[in-house]
């Protein structure tokens, strides 16, 4: 069965520092992978998704993620954190047609001035 | 284009009461979903629907019911509210399952006392 593990429930970085949020997945077939962001008191919105076209995926707000099959990982990065990046981030996986996404437990990102 | 709308935004229920959480989307999406979000637990799928008249259970369906009589609407019914159902509920929709982006509503915060 597909599953997602996000390492670290809370990550804190300084403004301007590198952001790295980790996601590992378990899937028996090539997956589709997603990163969603949730700002306080809002619903989730898509940051980026991997659908097998290119292993390095660029998303909104300067975020990107790299699909590494050998490591079963899809880590999210941003070169320079901004205060507005403070939010909760969710990794999700889907590997079968017509089945819903499976979400990780989320990582809360804090950005320190 | 309003996207996914949910009502109410917030509700307090007494134990044993019932209520319906409303969800409407205006994007002509086939798939609709109900999730609950509890702190540190990510999103858990309650029910989903692949089209009008078709619904299926997710990971945590007990205590809930759904119906899908139209493409646009996907209400979630709580029959006998329990404190364990205190949560934030999100509705989402997408064109299809596997690789399509899910669009989320703003959520309904429910408190059962």
């Amino acid at each position: 069965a597909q599953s997602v593990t996000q390492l670290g429930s809370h990550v804190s970085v300084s403004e301007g520092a590198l952001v790295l949020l980790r996601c590992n997945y378990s899937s028996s077939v090539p997956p589709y992978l997603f990163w969603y962001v949730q700002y306080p008191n809002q619903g989730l919105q898509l940051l980026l998704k991997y659908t097998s076209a290119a292993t390095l995926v660029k998303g909104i707000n300067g975020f990107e993620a790299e699909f590494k099959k050998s490591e079963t990982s899809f880590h999210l990065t941003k070169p320079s954190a901004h205060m507005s990046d403070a939010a909760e981030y969710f990794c999700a996986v889907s590997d079968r047609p017509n089945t819903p996404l499976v979400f990780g437990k989320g990582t809360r990102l804090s950005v320190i001035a | 284009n309003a996207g996914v709308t949910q009502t109410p935004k917030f509700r307090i229920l007494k134990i044993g009461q019932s209520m319906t959480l409303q969800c409407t989307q205006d994007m002509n999406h086939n798939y609709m979903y109900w999730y609950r979000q509890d702190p540190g637990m990510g999103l858990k799928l309650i029910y989903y629907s692949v089209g009008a008249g078709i619904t299926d259970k997710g990971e945590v369906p007990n205590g809930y019911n759904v119906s899908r009589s139209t493409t646009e609407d996907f209400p979630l019914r709580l029959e006998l509210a329990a404190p364990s159902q205190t949560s934030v509920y999100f509705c989402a929709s997408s064109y299809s399952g596997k690789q399509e982006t899910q669009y989320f509503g703003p959520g309904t915060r429910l408190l059962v006392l």
Side-chain angles (χ1 to χ4, degrees), chain B:
Chain B
N1 203 349
V4 180
T5 56
Q6 291 183 239
T7 56
K9 284 188 169 59
F10 175 67
R11 181 79 181 267
I12 299 175
L13 277 184
K14 294 182 179 178
I15 294 171
Q17 286 185 322
S18 62
M19 76 165 293
T20 299
L21 282 66
Q22 301 291 346
C23 175
T24 301
Q25 53 92 8
D26 62 359
M27 296 173 282
N28 202 30
H29 285 168
N30 294 321
Y31 283 58
M32 296 187 74
Y33 315 83
W34 274 107
Y35 296 91
R36 59 177 287 170
Q37 183 181 29
D38 301 299
M41 299 302 294
L43 277 76
K44 292 188 185 295
L45 183 67
I46 304 171
Y47 272 95
Y48 69 102
S49 168
V50 302
I54 306 169
T55 62
D56 208 348
K57 295 178 180 178
E59 184 182 356
V60 290
N62 291 344
Y64 307 94
N65 279 300
V66 294
S67 59
R68 183 98 180 268
S69 56
T70 67
T71 299
E72 295 79 18
D73 300 305
F74 191 40
L76 177 71
R77 179 86 178 160
L78 282 71
E79 289 295 349
L80 290 169
S84 60
Q85 294 177 305
T86 293
S87 189
V88 181
Y89 292 84
F90 288 100
C91 180
S93 70
S94 65
Y95 278 113
S96 65
K98 190 173 180 180
Q99 74 269 33
E100 294 294 333
T101 300
Q102 289 190 23
Y103 294 85
F104 284 78
T108 293
R109 188 174 296 273
L110 178 66
L111 181 60
V112 182
L113 299 174

Side-chain angles (χ1 to χ4, degrees), chain A residues 65-87:
Chain A
E66 186 172 9
F67 172 66
K68 291 187 176 180
K69 184 179 178 182
S70 60
E71 298 176 9
T72 60
S73 69
F74 191 56
H75 301 332
L76 182 70
T77 60
K78 181 174 180 178
S80 176
H82 191 273
M83 297 297 288
S84 61
D85 295 327

